[in-house]
Amino acid sequence: MRGAVGSLLAELEALLAAGLPGVEVTTRYPCQQRKLPPDRPMVWLGVERITATGSPFAPYAGEGGPEPGGPRAGRELEVTVGAEILDRHDLGSCHRVFGELCQLLLLEEARPQLRELSCKEGFFDREAGAFRLSCRGTLRALLTREEEAARPLANIIVQKKEEGI
């Protein structure tokens, strides 16, 4: 995956894979592959919505650009991440994984800045061949781009304008 959204999903995938042993975590949608989920629970991650909340007229986002102390430009974003929890055998297992997601994403240190995490009512999805629990989480992020640092002035010439010339 490329870009900031791809990086965000890759980081979440790695965090969840490390924090949820026994659960397969992926950003590739399993139903499109037309294969049943594995015998263990699966979490599929995807971005559902991105909203720019910061002012578009004030893109300054602080120091730390290409050179130490250089400027950075960016926008504050609110990102809605979807997590589909699938399990072939048991809806209760989906709810247990949701509880582990809550612990990992809302309560642990070094977690993303998630504001909320919720789930809908679970059901058996015939197309996926598994029980499914749809979850949504909202987090705030700062999407930045580096600006070229201003070059220092090398020469300053001061001239006095004379009257009549």
Side-chain angles (χ1 to χ4, degrees):
M1 283 180 264
R2 298 173 64 174
V5 173
S7 294
L8 170 69
L9 282 176
E11 287 178 33
L12 279 174
E13 183 178 11
L15 175 74
L16 294 181
L20 298 172
V23 176
E24 182 172 332
V25 180
T26 183
T27 56
R28 292 184 305 274
Y29 192 62
C31 294
Q32 292 177 347
Q33 297 172 1
R34 294 285 184 207
K35 64 180 183 179
L36 294 176
D39 285 332
R40 59 188 181 148
M42 172 183 272
V43 174
W44 170 74
L45 297 171
V47 172
E48 292 189 355
R49 184 178 69 193
I50 298 176
T51 306
T53 58
S55 169
F57 302 110
Y60 178 71
E63 300 298 320
E67 296 178 18
R72 285 187 324 189
R75 297 278 313 263
E76 188 177 353
L77 303 176
E78 186 172 277
V79 181
T80 302
V81 177
E84 300 291 329
I85 302 172
L86 300 156
D87 190 300
R88 290 177 65 177
H89 306 291
D90 183 19
L91 182 60
S93 173
C94 295
H95 283 283
R96 283 188 295 280
V97 171
F98 175 71
E100 292 172 14
L101 277 174
C102 290
Q103 174 73 30
L104 190 61
L105 295 175
L106 295 172
L107 301 174
E108 297 293 327
E109 288 186 38
R111 64 177 173 77
Q113 297 298 313
L114 221 62
R115 292 182 356 171
E116 64 182 2
L117 190 60
S118 63
C119 70
K120 296 181 179 178
E121 188 173 331
F123 65 98
F124 185 81
D125 183 340
R126 294 176 119 191
E127 185 178 346
F131 291 94
R132 176 185 296 254
L133 186 63
S134 298
C135 308
R136 302 293 166 266
T138 303
L139 60 96
R140 295 184 82 81
L142 184 63
L143 181 65
T144 62
R145 70 175 186 271
E146 295 178 348
E147 296 289 325
E148 186 176 326
R151 297 182 186 204
L153 296 175
N155 296 319
I156 299 175
I157 300 173
V158 179
Q159 293 180 337
K160 180 178 179 184
K161 183 176 179 180
E162 297 202 21
E163 305 246 353
I165 297 181

